[in-house]
Amino acid sequence: MKTTLLIVAMVTGASLTSTTADAQERGAVVFEELDLNSDGQITLEELSGQREARFGDADTNGDGALSEEELLAQANENASERATRMVTRMLERLDENEDGILQLDELPEPREGRMERRFEQADADDDGAISAEEFEEARERMADRRGGGKGHGRGGKGPRGDRG
């Protein structure tokens, strides 16, 4: 039973070792959120309850089904929350003068020669320019190296980076 709970918690993205504040900042699910009755233990029923609660949150019209519009709204909300966390971390890390905005001189310098190497790799006919066809071929090569196929910016994987 304990092994099953641990596996289920890991699959749902629970972070049992992180502090609540740290995990919430990263957007991870924390133990306290999964322990619905606050008894210091997570049961399968509580995990199931979280799944149902997330479904209910996304089902804004309450019809028991998720339409394309509801799924897109939930995805946009999740993306917005992730973007907000990412921007906050970026400002904390890079804003040297702590004025809440980034100036060009606060951005890290690109790695020496990286842009030139990528340009040369994409410019298959060495004419000094990248055509739309060369661009698409380079994009597909990059996706293939990451384990995905054509048109899959996450390597052909699902919204959380998994295949299912």
Side-chain angles (χ1 to χ4, degrees):
M1 179 71 169
K2 289 182 181 179
T3 303
T4 303
L5 278 176
L6 181 58
I7 291 170
V8 172
M10 289 169 47
V11 168
T12 60
S15 176
L16 302 178
T17 59
S18 297
T19 65
T20 303
D22 181 47
Q24 285 175 334
E25 180 181 320
R26 290 190 326 268
V29 176
V30 295
F31 186 89
E32 291 79 8
E33 291 174 355
L34 295 173
D35 183 13
L36 298 178
N37 64 2
S38 301
D39 67 354
Q41 298 179 343
I42 300 171
T43 64
L44 287 174
E45 290 78 20
E46 288 171 314
L47 288 176
S48 177
Q50 287 292 320
R51 179 177 165 263
E52 292 167 9
R54 285 192 308 272
F55 187 93
D57 288 345
D59 183 16
T60 56
N61 66 5
D63 68 354
L66 298 178
S67 66
E68 181 179 359
E69 291 79 19
E70 289 169 322
L71 290 168
L72 285 170
Q74 186 65 43
N76 286 333
E77 181 180 327
N78 293 341
S80 177
E81 290 171 5
R82 281 191 302 275
T84 298
R85 287 189 302 272
M86 182 185 75
V87 167
T88 299
R89 285 192 305 266
M90 181 185 290
L91 281 170
E92 288 171 353
R93 193 175 70 248
L94 299 176
D95 185 17
E96 293 174 9
N97 63 4
E98 299 179 1
D99 63 355
I101 55 176
L102 290 179
Q103 287 81 27
L104 182 60
D105 65 346
E106 291 176 313
L107 297 178
E109 290 292 327
R111 289 188 217 154
E112 184 72 30
R114 183 177 187 184
M115 185 179 0
E116 290 82 3
R117 283 191 304 275
R118 287 199 175 181
F119 185 90
E120 289 170 5
Q121 289 170 349
D123 183 17
D125 61 9
D126 293 322
D127 68 351
I130 300 171
S131 68
E133 182 179 314
E134 289 171 323
F135 181 85
E136 182 62 24
E137 289 172 3
R139 191 191 62 72
E140 287 179 21
R141 281 193 308 270
M142 185 177 295
D144 287 343
R145 277 196 301 265
R146 291 182 177 155
K150 184 175 181 178
H152 298 289
R154 294 184 64 91
K157 299 179 181 179
R160 286 179 276 151
D162 55 0
R163 292 218 178 257

